[in-house]
Amino acid sequence: MGRPSKSKNQKKERAAALQHAQQEFGTVPHSFVFHRGRVGKNVRQLIADVRKVMEPYTARALTVRKNNSLKDFVAVAGPLGVTHFLVFSKSSSSINFKLFRLPGGPTLTFKVMQYSLIKDVVSSLKRHRMHEQQFTHHPLLVLSNFGLQQIQVKLMASMFQNMFPSINVHRVNLNNIKRCLLITYNTETQLLDFRHYSVKVVPVGVSKGLKKLLQEKFPNMSRFEDISELLVKDINLSESEAEQDGTHNVLELPQAYAGRGNMKAQQSAVRLTEIGPRMTLQLIKVEEGLAQGNVLYHGLIHKMEAEVKEILARKEAKLRLKAERRQKQEANVERKRRQREAHREKSLAGIRRKRQQDGDSDAEDPGAPEQQDVAEQSEESDAEYYRQEVGEEPDRDLFPDRTKRKRSSSGATPLRKRQRQSRPEHPAAPSPRPTPPGKRRKGDLAARDSRHHDGARKGGTGRKQRRGTKRPPREGAGPGSSRPKGRGKLLTKGKMIFRQPRRTTKGKR
């Protein structure tokens, strides 16, 4: 069979209890326990032990990075409802412990004279009582010898009391009190003793044997003749179970307490077992704010009233100078911003005025097509000159079609990849295109050879070549050359560098 469904009243009661628990959890003080700077392994373990003491209203798994500053923790503390910081730091000579009250201070700085970890305290006990159920509720705070009239003592007592939730003695549940935190102030040495105990309540007024029976721990009765001897005689018990009860720790329970024999209106004894950690603290100074205000008390340095006034006046002057520098810096930033705005407006006005004077700046340059036409005309004039002088159509490679090359918007010819052919110092005129053998004339060949040699002496065709035209072939490529046509320059080892890409005439090589 399945679980019976909850009634409306049960649902309402559970919802109300949950809401009350959330409200109560939000109203109690919370804490952060962390370190600042570089600390050793033992101090890190001490921080973990102090977090155990402050449970359950503390950040158990708080992660601290090197680049985190105190402002980062303060910014996070507000939304989380954190009211206290317990900060440990280590110097070359001592370990310091600072207690911050958020959000406005004060800050108490202690010097850790001695400390012992939980593992050290527990290892020294023959039997220890420590389990996880003890840390589900906050410890009971007990302050001893804090009734002095000194201002620093009152301030310490107030800080320690506000670190833990307050207790209403008429409505408290005794079963929730499983731990006790004892802080004792020594007036002679001005030191604080920080101790953490586990609380246990046992019935009194019965023999040790009967207690063992109530606790379901049966002793060895092999030496007894009758069971009455166990109830009458306190024999065969270990020394560690010796009674420590007396008038100092025996009381009458107002409620039934967990444990066998702890009944209401019966006398029981309260026993404390130390579970650690243990610290001995010395108050060094008290400051206003979060470690950045005036020093209200210093345990090592005592100053006269005139010195205190002088320090306050010097600090006020420093704050005043800082405020003046801040105002001056803000004024300079505003002045530079106005100058940038004015310069920007002036530049935009100048640009608009220039556009109005020059017209539409986006129109095409009218000179670019004219330059292109001039280049084409020069190309055509060179080809026409070659036809008139030679009497034949020029070779396609001699005057390439420049209209196929792309031009930029400015009219300049884009760069072309450099050809890998070697350039002779005195280029010769290109060889004329061969004609069919039946149409050749002797006078034409003689005139053509004479013009070819005259052009070679003058540097080609006798005119300065224009930019973009292809250079004539190198010397030796025309008729009358001793080198065979269609071959390139030979190296000493017989390797050919270039091969001339030209058609050779028919005939002997």
Side-chain angles (χ1 to χ4, degrees), residues 238-388:
S238 62
E239 295 180 358
S240 61
E241 297 173 351
E243 289 289 341
Q244 299 176 355
D245 303 333
T247 56
H248 61 282
N249 65 338
V250 175
L251 51 86
E252 184 177 342
L253 292 177
Q255 303 174 10
Y257 196 83
R260 296 181 180 273
N262 295 323
M263 305 299 295
K264 182 179 179 181
Q266 290 186 0
Q267 288 188 347
S268 298
V270 179
R271 296 180 180 177
L272 303 179
T273 303
E274 188 173 6
I275 57 177
R278 178 189 301 178
M279 290 189 295
T280 302
L281 307 175
Q282 179 185 5
L283 181 64
I284 300 298
K285 63 179 177 179
V286 179
E287 298 175 87
E288 291 181 349
L290 300 179
Q292 58 184 1
N294 300 327
V295 178
L296 303 179
Y297 168 80
H298 205 290
L300 304 178
I301 301 175
H302 301 280
K303 295 183 179 180
M304 304 298 294
E305 186 176 356
E307 295 178 349
V308 173
K309 290 182 179 180
E310 183 181 357
I311 292 174
L312 292 177
R314 189 161 58 245
K315 189 168 185 179
E316 290 178 0
K318 186 178 180 179
L319 294 176
R320 195 182 307 112
L321 180 60
K322 185 177 180 180
E324 291 177 359
R325 289 179 177 176
R326 174 67 65 179
Q327 293 177 359
K328 185 177 179 181
Q329 185 179 10
E330 292 177 355
N332 291 336
V333 170
E334 182 66 21
R335 177 177 55 83
K336 291 180 179 180
R337 188 186 64 80
R338 289 197 300 266
Q339 288 180 357
R340 286 196 302 269
E341 291 293 334
H343 180 69
R344 182 173 176 272
E345 292 296 334
K346 187 177 179 181
S347 301
L348 292 176
I351 292 172
R352 288 193 292 267
R353 185 168 57 252
K354 186 175 180 181
R355 285 181 178 177
Q356 292 175 0
Q357 293 175 0
D358 297 345
D360 190 5
S361 60
D362 296 334
E364 294 182 357
D365 189 3
E370 293 180 0
Q371 293 177 2
Q372 187 173 1
D373 295 341
V374 170
E376 292 176 358
Q377 292 175 5
S378 63
E379 186 72 23
E380 292 177 358
S381 63
D382 291 341
E384 185 64 26
Y385 176 79
Y386 185 86
R387 292 190 192 97
Q388 295 176 2

Side-chain angles (χ1 to χ4, degrees), residues 440 478-487 504-509:
R440 289 187 181 179
S481 173
S482 60
R483 293 176 57 186
K485 295 181 180 180
R487 299 245 182 132
T504 58
T505 57
K506 294 182 180 180
K508 266 192 192 179
R509 288 194 175 182

Side-chain angles (χ1 to χ4, degrees), residues 78-109:
L80 297 180
V82 177
T83 57
H84 291 79
F85 284 170
L86 286 76
V87 183
F88 288 85
S89 61
K90 185 177 180 181
S91 64
S92 58
S93 59
S94 63
I95 299 173
N96 299 322
F97 168 61
K98 287 190 176 184
L99 183 59
F100 294 86
R101 179 68 169 91
L102 299 178
T107 303
L108 274 64
T109 303

Side-chain angles (χ1 to χ4, degrees), residues 109-311:
T109 303
F110 298 92
K111 179 181 179 181
V112 181
M113 307 298 292
Q114 296 176 354
Y115 72 93
S116 298
L117 304 177
I118 289 180
K119 61 180 182 179
D120 300 330
V121 176
V122 170
S123 62
S124 63
L125 299 176
K126 194 171 184 180
R127 292 181 181 177
H128 68 85
R129 290 192 305 271
M130 187 169 60
H131 47 84
E132 291 297 328
Q133 288 77 13
Q134 292 177 336
F135 300 97
T136 57
H137 298 278
H138 64 89
L140 175 66
L141 178 64
V142 179
L143 299 178
S144 177
N145 206 10
F146 277 87
L148 302 178
Q149 298 299 324
Q150 299 177 2
I151 184 173
Q152 69 271 15
V153 179
K154 291 184 177 180
L155 185 59
M156 283 191 296
S158 177
M159 288 284 287
F160 289 131
Q161 287 175 354
N162 293 328
M163 285 171 56
F164 300 95
S166 59
I167 294 177
N168 189 348
V169 294
H170 300 288
R171 300 177 59 183
V172 66
N173 187 4
L174 296 181
N175 289 316
N176 294 337
I177 301 177
K178 300 293 184 181
R179 294 178 295 134
C180 174
L181 178 62
L182 177 61
I183 300 178
T184 306
Y185 180 72
N186 193 337
T187 56
E188 297 180 358
T189 59
Q190 296 183 352
L191 298 178
L192 294 173
D193 292 330
F194 186 94
R195 301 289 186 270
H196 187 213
Y197 297 95
S198 173
V199 178
K200 183 182 180 181
V201 178
V202 295
V204 295
V206 294
S207 64
K208 298 177 183 178
L210 186 58
K211 284 182 184 178
K212 279 190 168 292
L213 292 178
L214 293 175
Q215 296 174 1
E216 297 182 355
K217 295 180 181 179
F218 298 98
N220 186 8
M221 295 186 296
S222 59
R223 297 182 182 182
F224 297 158
E225 295 180 358
D226 188 55
I227 193 173
S228 60
E229 297 182 5
L230 176 64
L231 303 178
V232 175
K233 300 179 181 180
D234 295 335
I235 59 175
N236 200 25
L237 297 176
S238 62
E239 295 180 358
S240 61
E241 297 173 351
E243 289 289 341
Q244 299 176 355
D245 303 333
T247 56
H248 61 282
N249 65 338
V250 175
L251 51 86
E252 184 177 342
L253 292 177
Q255 303 174 10
Y257 196 83
R260 296 181 180 273
N262 295 323
M263 305 299 295
K264 182 179 179 181
Q266 290 186 0
Q267 288 188 347
S268 298
V270 179
R271 296 180 180 177
L272 303 179
T273 303
E274 188 173 6
I275 57 177
R278 178 189 301 178
M279 290 189 295
T280 302
L281 307 175
Q282 179 185 5
L283 181 64
I284 300 298
K285 63 179 177 179
V286 179
E287 298 175 87
E288 291 181 349
L290 300 179
Q292 58 184 1
N294 300 327
V295 178
L296 303 179
Y297 168 80
H298 205 290
L300 304 178
I301 301 175
H302 301 280
K303 295 183 179 180
M304 304 298 294
E305 186 176 356
E307 295 178 349
V308 173
K309 290 182 179 180
E310 183 181 357
I311 292 174

Side-chain angles (χ1 to χ4, degrees), residues 443-457:
D444 294 340
L445 291 175
R448 194 181 307 165
D449 291 340
S450 63
R451 285 196 300 270
H452 169 71
H453 290 293
D454 293 340
R457 285 194 299 268

